[in-house]
Amino acid sequence: MRIGVAGINGRVGSVLIEAIRQRGDQLTGGFDRPGAGRQAPAPDITLFHSLEELAAVSDVVVDFTVAAAVTAHSNAISRHRAAWVLGTTGLSEAAQLGVVQAARHVPVVQAANFSPGVTLVLDLAARLAAALPPEDYDAEIVDMHHRQKLDAPSGTALAIGNAVAAARGTTLAAVRDSGRDGVTSARATGAIGFASLRGGQVVGEHTVLFTASDEQIGLTHRAFDRRTFAAGAIRAAHWAHGRPPGLYSMRDVLGLR
Ligand code: NAD
C-alpha cells in the first residue's frame, strides 16, 4: 500500500517512516510545514510541496501535524481519493467540521490516540462511569506529556472525558472543569475535572480516577514509545484503504463495535 506522511519531520512522523517500511508498505513521501529550510528527513524520501501532491500519489495519508493546519488539509484531502488517518489533536470546532466534510468524500480514521491500549481504556472508563454514580464518585482525569506539547488537556484526556460524560448521560461541555487555580468554589457534583502536567520528554500518560468518600478506582495508561501510535496508525491505514467514505474511529479499526 502507498502511504504518505504529513508532519514527516515531527516526533510521530519520524517513527512512522520506520513503521511503514517495516510493514513492507511503500512510503510515497512526506509533507511538512511549508517554508524555507524544511528538508526531507532522508535523501531517499520525497518531500512534497503540498498535501495535495502527496495525496495524489498515496492510497492513504497519515497526518500528525498541528491543529492550525487541519482545515487546509481537510480541503486538500477532499479533492483526491486517498484515505486520511488523522492523529492531530487540539482541533477547533471549525476544524472538526472540516474533518466531517472531508469524510463525505474519503474514508477518514480520526483518533486522539492510536494506541490499542488507550482505545480499550476509553471503553473501560465508560463502563466504570456507567456503574459508579456521579453523586458518589468524582471523576478526575490527569495527563502528563513532554514539555513541547501545544494543547491541554490532551486530546486523549478529552476523549476519556467524553467517554465518561456520555456513559453518564451528559456531555463533556456541560460538566467539564479544567484549569483550577486560586480560590475555586467547591467541586460541583457530576463535574469531570482535568489536570495537565508537562515536563521532560514524557511520551504520554493518562489516568482517570473515580473517587468516593470511602474508595478510589484508577485506570492508568502509559505510552513508553511513540511506536505504539505509529503502529496503530498504520493498522488504521490498512483498515481504511478501500472503505467507503465516512468518519471512523480506532474502535471501528479494532472491531469494538
Ligand atoms: P511535532 O511538533 O513533533 O510534529 C509536528 C510536525 O508537523 C512538525 O514536523 C511540524 O514541522 C509539522 N507541521 C507544523 N505545521 C505544519 C503545517 N502547517 N503543515 C504541515 N506540517 C506542519 O508533534 P508530534 O509530537 O509529532 O505530534 C503531532 C500531532 O499529533 C499533535 O497534535 C499531537 O498532539 C498529536 N499526537 C497524536 C497522537 C495520536 O495517537 N493520535 C499521538 C501523539 C501525538
Side-chain angles (χ1 to χ4, degrees):
M1 206 172 68
R2 300 171 305 156
I3 304 179
V5 176
I8 196 158
N9 289 315
R11 278 175 289 262
V12 180
S14 315
V15 184
L16 274 164
I17 297 170
E18 187 191 318
I20 289 166
R21 289 180 165 162
Q22 265 176 4
R23 212 175 143 151
D25 291 314
Q26 184 196 338
L27 176 66
T28 50
F31 170 62
D32 205 276
R33 188 165 22 145
R38 304 306 293 180
Q39 291 188 336
D44 61 337
I45 296 177
T46 307
L47 191 67
F48 289 87
H49 294 296
S50 70
L51 190 80
E52 271 206 76
E53 288 175 77
L54 181 64
V57 297
S58 305
D59 296 315
V60 183
V61 171
V62 180
D63 187 340
F64 286 77
T65 53
V66 285
V70 168
T71 299
H73 290 192
S74 302
N75 293 332
I77 281 285
S78 302
R79 289 195 278 270
H80 295 273
R81 295 178 61 184
W84 192 22
V85 171
L86 178 62
T88 307
T89 62
L91 275 57
S92 64
E93 272 180 38
Q96 185 58 36
L97 271 179
V99 176
V100 172
Q101 296 280 0
R104 297 206 177 119
H105 302 277
V106 296
V108 180
V109 183
Q110 183 183 26
N113 195 310
F114 277 96
S115 99
V118 160
T119 310
L120 293 172
V121 164
L122 293 175
D123 252 41
L124 293 170
R127 286 175 64 179
L128 287 170
L132 304 170
E135 303 77 45
D136 299 329
Y137 289 83
D138 299 326
E140 296 276 312
I141 298 164
V142 184
D143 81 273
M144 176 145 199
H145 285 84
H146 52 89
R147 60 168 75 103
Q148 296 91 349
K149 184 158 179 65
L150 298 178
D151 51 319
S154 72
T156 304
L158 292 172
I160 296 171
N162 276 314
V164 170
R168 286 180 163 180
T170 183
T171 63
L172 186 55
V175 294
R176 176 173 169 170
D177 188 358
S178 41
R180 294 184 191 116
D181 188 19
V183 180
T184 64
S185 50
R187 191 183 197 289
T189 301
I192 299 177
F194 290 87
S196 295
L197 315 182
R198 298 289 177 260
Q201 295 307 325
V202 175
V203 172
E205 297 184 2
H206 294 90
T207 296
V208 54
L209 296 167
F210 294 92
T211 309
S213 304
D214 47 6
E215 65 169 359
Q216 181 181 71
I217 306 174
L219 199 58
T220 295
H221 179 274
R222 291 194 178 91
F224 298 138
D225 195 306
R226 289 186 177 82
R227 277 183 281 199
T228 186
F229 309 134
I234 303 305
R235 187 167 169 177
H238 278 262
W239 183 89
H241 181 40
R243 297 233 167 224
L247 185 55
Y248 303 102
S249 73
M250 232 5 220
R251 287 176 58 82
D252 298 307
V253 174
L254 297 181
L256 291 174
R257 62 170 159 221

PDB file of all heavy atoms in Angstrom, residues 194-214:
ATOM      1  N   PHE A 194     -10.066  18.123  35.114  1.00  0.00           N
ATOM      2  CA  PHE A 194      -8.859  17.838  34.319  1.00  0.00           C
ATOM      3  C   PHE A 194      -7.655  18.523  34.944  1.00  0.00           C
ATOM      4  O   PHE A 194      -7.771  19.652  35.443  1.00  0.00           O
ATOM      5  CB  PHE A 194      -9.003  18.384  32.892  1.00  0.00           C
ATOM      6  CG  PHE A 194      -9.991  17.635  32.052  1.00  0.00           C
ATOM      7  CD1 PHE A 194     -11.336  17.970  32.070  1.00  0.00           C
ATOM      8  CD2 PHE A 194      -9.582  16.585  31.244  1.00  0.00           C
ATOM      9  CE1 PHE A 194     -12.260  17.277  31.301  1.00  0.00           C
ATOM     10  CE2 PHE A 194     -10.493  15.888  30.470  1.00  0.00           C
ATOM     11  CZ  PHE A 194     -11.838  16.234  30.494  1.00  0.00           C
ATOM     12  N   ALA A 195      -6.515  17.848  34.896  1.00  0.00           N
ATOM     13  CA  ALA A 195      -5.248  18.473  35.261  1.00  0.00           C
ATOM     14  C   ALA A 195      -4.198  18.004  34.262  1.00  0.00           C
ATOM     15  O   ALA A 195      -4.157  16.824  33.914  1.00  0.00           O
ATOM     16  CB  ALA A 195      -4.834  18.060  36.676  1.00  0.00           C
ATOM     17  N   SER A 196      -3.403  18.954  33.755  1.00  0.00           N
ATOM     18  CA  SER A 196      -2.396  18.620  32.745  1.00  0.00           C
ATOM     19  C   SER A 196      -1.012  18.942  33.273  1.00  0.00           C
ATOM     20  O   SER A 196      -0.731  20.093  33.635  1.00  0.00           O
ATOM     21  CB  SER A 196      -2.651  19.421  31.464  1.00  0.00           C
ATOM     22  OG  SER A 196      -3.884  19.022  30.896  1.00  0.00           O
ATOM     23  N   LEU A 197      -0.154  17.951  33.305  1.00  0.00           N
ATOM     24  CA  LEU A 197       1.237  18.129  33.707  1.00  0.00           C
ATOM     25  C   LEU A 197       2.107  18.095  32.456  1.00  0.00           C
ATOM     26  O   LEU A 197       1.827  17.338  31.530  1.00  0.00           O
ATOM     27  CB  LEU A 197       1.664  17.003  34.664  1.00  0.00           C
ATOM     28  CG  LEU A 197       0.698  16.620  35.784  1.00  0.00           C
ATOM     29  CD1 LEU A 197       1.315  15.530  36.661  1.00  0.00           C
ATOM     30  CD2 LEU A 197       0.344  17.832  36.628  1.00  0.00           C
ATOM     31  N   ARG A 198       3.143  18.914  32.437  1.00  0.00           N
ATOM     32  CA  ARG A 198       4.048  18.947  31.282  1.00  0.00           C
ATOM     33  C   ARG A 198       5.477  18.914  31.774  1.00  0.00           C
ATOM     34  O   ARG A 198       5.829  19.666  32.707  1.00  0.00           O
ATOM     35  CB  ARG A 198       3.825  20.238  30.458  1.00  0.00           C
ATOM     36  CG  ARG A 198       2.430  20.365  29.857  1.00  0.00           C
ATOM     37  CD  ARG A 198       2.227  19.375  28.711  1.00  0.00           C
ATOM     38  NE  ARG A 198       0.881  19.430  28.167  1.00  0.00           N
ATOM     39  CZ  ARG A 198      -0.086  18.567  28.480  1.00  0.00           C
ATOM     40  NH1 ARG A 198       0.133  17.597  29.353  1.00  0.00           N
ATOM     41  NH2 ARG A 198      -1.272  18.650  27.923  1.00  0.00           N
ATOM     42  N   GLY A 199       6.309  18.091  31.146  1.00  0.00           N
ATOM     43  CA  GLY A 199       7.704  18.090  31.548  1.00  0.00           C
ATOM     44  C   GLY A 199       8.535  17.074  30.808  1.00  0.00           C
ATOM     45  O   GLY A 199       8.021  16.044  30.349  1.00  0.00           O
ATOM     46  N   GLY A 200       9.810  17.402  30.639  1.00  0.00           N
ATOM     47  CA  GLY A 200      10.764  16.462  30.055  1.00  0.00           C
ATOM     48  C   GLY A 200      10.283  15.919  28.731  1.00  0.00           C
ATOM     49  O   GLY A 200       9.743  16.657  27.906  1.00  0.00           O
ATOM     50  N   GLN A 201      10.482  14.642  28.549  1.00  0.00           N
ATOM     51  CA  GLN A 201      10.141  14.023  27.268  1.00  0.00           C
ATOM     52  C   GLN A 201       9.121  12.894  27.442  1.00  0.00           C
ATOM     53  O   GLN A 201       9.155  11.894  26.721  1.00  0.00           O
ATOM     54  CB  GLN A 201      11.423  13.501  26.591  1.00  0.00           C
ATOM     55  CG  GLN A 201      12.394  14.614  26.197  1.00  0.00           C
ATOM     56  CD  GLN A 201      11.729  15.707  25.350  1.00  0.00           C
ATOM     57  OE1 GLN A 201      10.841  15.444  24.539  1.00  0.00           O
ATOM     58  NE2 GLN A 201      12.136  16.946  25.549  1.00  0.00           N
ATOM     59  N   VAL A 202       8.211  13.083  28.407  1.00  0.00           N
ATOM     60  CA  VAL A 202       7.188  12.057  28.657  1.00  0.00           C
ATOM     61  C   VAL A 202       6.335  11.875  27.391  1.00  0.00           C
ATOM     62  O   VAL A 202       5.773  12.837  26.873  1.00  0.00           O
ATOM     63  CB  VAL A 202       6.284  12.461  29.848  1.00  0.00           C
ATOM     64  CG1 VAL A 202       5.144  11.460  30.025  1.00  0.00           C
ATOM     65  CG2 VAL A 202       7.107  12.578  31.110  1.00  0.00           C
ATOM     66  N   VAL A 203       6.251  10.656  26.901  1.00  0.00           N
ATOM     67  CA  VAL A 203       5.544  10.370  25.646  1.00  0.00           C
ATOM     68  C   VAL A 203       4.040  10.571  25.819  1.00  0.00           C
ATOM     69  O   VAL A 203       3.376  11.165  24.957  1.00  0.00           O
ATOM     70  CB  VAL A 203       5.862   8.929  25.171  1.00  0.00           C
ATOM     71  CG1 VAL A 203       4.989   8.536  23.992  1.00  0.00           C
ATOM     72  CG2 VAL A 203       7.333   8.824  24.788  1.00  0.00           C
ATOM     73  N   GLY A 204       3.488  10.092  26.933  1.00  0.00           N
ATOM     74  CA  GLY A 204       2.047  10.296  27.165  1.00  0.00           C
ATOM     75  C   GLY A 204       1.549   9.395  28.274  1.00  0.00           C
ATOM     76  O   GLY A 204       1.685   8.173  28.199  1.00  0.00           O
ATOM     77  N   GLU A 205       0.991  10.009  29.327  1.00  0.00           N
ATOM     78  CA  GLU A 205       0.430   9.234  30.435  1.00  0.00           C
ATOM     79  C   GLU A 205      -0.955   9.782  30.748  1.00  0.00           C
ATOM     80  O   GLU A 205      -1.147  11.008  30.787  1.00  0.00           O
ATOM     81  CB  GLU A 205       1.301   9.375  31.692  1.00  0.00           C
ATOM     82  CG  GLU A 205       2.690   8.828  31.518  1.00  0.00           C
ATOM     83  CD  GLU A 205       3.514   8.881  32.805  1.00  0.00           C
ATOM     84  OE1 GLU A 205       2.971   9.321  33.852  1.00  0.00           O
ATOM     85  OE2 GLU A 205       4.676   8.495  32.734  1.00  0.00           O
ATOM     86  N   HIS A 206      -1.893   8.877  30.961  1.00  0.00           N
ATOM     87  CA  HIS A 206      -3.260   9.302  31.298  1.00  0.00           C
ATOM     88  C   HIS A 206      -3.799   8.466  32.439  1.00  0.00           C
ATOM     89  O   HIS A 206      -3.637   7.243  32.431  1.00  0.00           O
ATOM     90  CB  HIS A 206      -4.187   9.145  30.085  1.00  0.00           C
ATOM     91  CG  HIS A 206      -3.815  10.062  28.968  1.00  0.00           C
ATOM     92  ND1 HIS A 206      -2.925   9.701  27.976  1.00  0.00           N
ATOM     93  CD2 HIS A 206      -4.181  11.340  28.716  1.00  0.00           C
ATOM     94  CE1 HIS A 206      -2.776  10.726  27.147  1.00  0.00           C
ATOM     95  NE2 HIS A 206      -3.517  11.737  27.570  1.00  0.00           N
ATOM     96  N   THR A 207      -4.446   9.138  33.384  1.00  0.00           N
ATOM     97  CA  THR A 207      -5.109   8.438  34.483  1.00  0.00           C
ATOM     98  C   THR A 207      -6.501   9.020  34.647  1.00  0.00           C
ATOM     99  O   THR A 207      -6.664  10.245  34.630  1.00  0.00           O
ATOM    100  CB  THR A 207      -4.337   8.612  35.809  1.00  0.00           C
ATOM    101  OG1 THR A 207      -3.058   7.998  35.670  1.00  0.00           O
ATOM    102  CG2 THR A 207      -5.072   7.964  36.979  1.00  0.00           C
ATOM    103  N   VAL A 208      -7.479   8.136  34.771  1.00  0.00           N
ATOM    104  CA  VAL A 208      -8.814   8.593  35.169  1.00  0.00           C
ATOM    105  C   VAL A 208      -9.091   7.996  36.543  1.00  0.00           C
ATOM    106  O   VAL A 208      -8.879   6.804  36.770  1.00  0.00           O
ATOM    107  CB  VAL A 208      -9.906   8.239  34.125  1.00  0.00           C
ATOM    108  CG1 VAL A 208      -9.931   6.763  33.777  1.00  0.00           C
ATOM    109  CG2 VAL A 208     -11.293   8.681  34.619  1.00  0.00           C
ATOM    110  N   LEU A 209      -9.504   8.867  37.465  1.00  0.00           N
ATOM    111  CA  LEU A 209      -9.781   8.462  38.851  1.00  0.00           C
ATOM    112  C   LEU A 209     -11.264   8.642  39.139  1.00  0.00           C
ATOM    113  O   LEU A 209     -11.852   9.671  38.763  1.00  0.00           O
ATOM    114  CB  LEU A 209      -8.992   9.336  39.829  1.00  0.00           C
ATOM    115  CG  LEU A 209      -7.459   9.232  39.773  1.00  0.00           C
ATOM    116  CD1 LEU A 209      -6.845  10.381  40.576  1.00  0.00           C
ATOM    117  CD2 LEU A 209      -7.002   7.889  40.319  1.00  0.00           C
ATOM    118  N   PHE A 210     -11.834   7.663  39.795  1.00  0.00           N
ATOM    119  CA  PHE A 210     -13.203   7.799  40.309  1.00  0.00           C
ATOM    120  C   PHE A 210     -13.075   7.717  41.819  1.00  0.00           C
ATOM    121  O   PHE A 210     -12.739   6.668  42.373  1.00  0.00           O
ATOM    122  CB  PHE A 210     -14.086   6.660  39.783  1.00  0.00           C
ATOM    123  CG  PHE A 210     -14.307   6.712  38.302  1.00  0.00           C
ATOM    124  CD1 PHE A 210     -13.460   6.032  37.436  1.00  0.00           C
ATOM    125  CD2 PHE A 210     -15.359   7.449  37.755  1.00  0.00           C
ATOM    126  CE1 PHE A 210     -13.664   6.078  36.064  1.00  0.00           C
ATOM    127  CE2 PHE A 210     -15.567   7.499  36.382  1.00  0.00           C
ATOM    128  CZ  PHE A 210     -14.713   6.813  35.528  1.00  0.00           C
ATOM    129  N   THR A 211     -13.300   8.856  42.504  1.00  0.00           N
ATOM    130  CA  THR A 211     -13.051   8.911  43.939  1.00  0.00           C
ATOM    131  C   THR A 211     -14.343   9.146  44.718  1.00  0.00           C
ATOM    132  O   THR A 211     -15.048  10.131  44.475  1.00  0.00           O
ATOM    133  CB  THR A 211     -12.049  10.046  44.253  1.00  0.00           C
ATOM    134  OG1 THR A 211     -10.908   9.889  43.402  1.00  0.00           O
ATOM    135  CG2 THR A 211     -11.612   9.990  45.711  1.00  0.00           C
ATOM    136  N   ALA A 212     -14.624   8.218  45.641  1.00  0.00           N
ATOM    137  CA  ALA A 212     -15.785   8.345  46.529  1.00  0.00           C
ATOM    138  C   ALA A 212     -15.273   8.641  47.931  1.00  0.00           C
ATOM    139  O   ALA A 212     -14.068   8.798  48.149  1.00  0.00           O
ATOM    140  CB  ALA A 212     -16.590   7.043  46.500  1.00  0.00           C
ATOM    141  N   SER A 213     -16.179   8.737  48.913  1.00  0.00           N
ATOM    142  CA  SER A 213     -15.758   9.023  50.290  1.00  0.00           C
ATOM    143  C   SER A 213     -14.943   7.868  50.862  1.00  0.00           C
ATOM    144  O   SER A 213     -14.071   8.072  51.701  1.00  0.00           O
ATOM    145  CB  SER A 213     -16.985   9.239  51.178  1.00  0.00           C
ATOM    146  OG  SER A 213     -17.764  10.247  50.631  1.00  0.00           O
ATOM    147  N   ASP A 214     -15.228   6.678  50.388  1.00  0.00           N
ATOM    148  CA  ASP A 214     -14.625   5.516  51.038  1.00  0.00           C
ATOM    149  C   ASP A 214     -13.754   4.653  50.139  1.00  0.00           C
ATOM    150  O   ASP A 214     -13.208   3.649  50.584  1.00  0.00           O
ATOM    151  CB  ASP A 214     -15.726   4.650  51.661  1.00  0.00           C
ATOM    152  CG  ASP A 214     -16.872   4.410  50.684  1.00  0.00           C
ATOM    153  OD1 ASP A 214     -16.732   4.822  49.510  1.00  0.00           O
ATOM    154  OD2 ASP A 214     -17.885   3.824  51.079  1.00  0.00           O
TER     155      ASP A 214
END
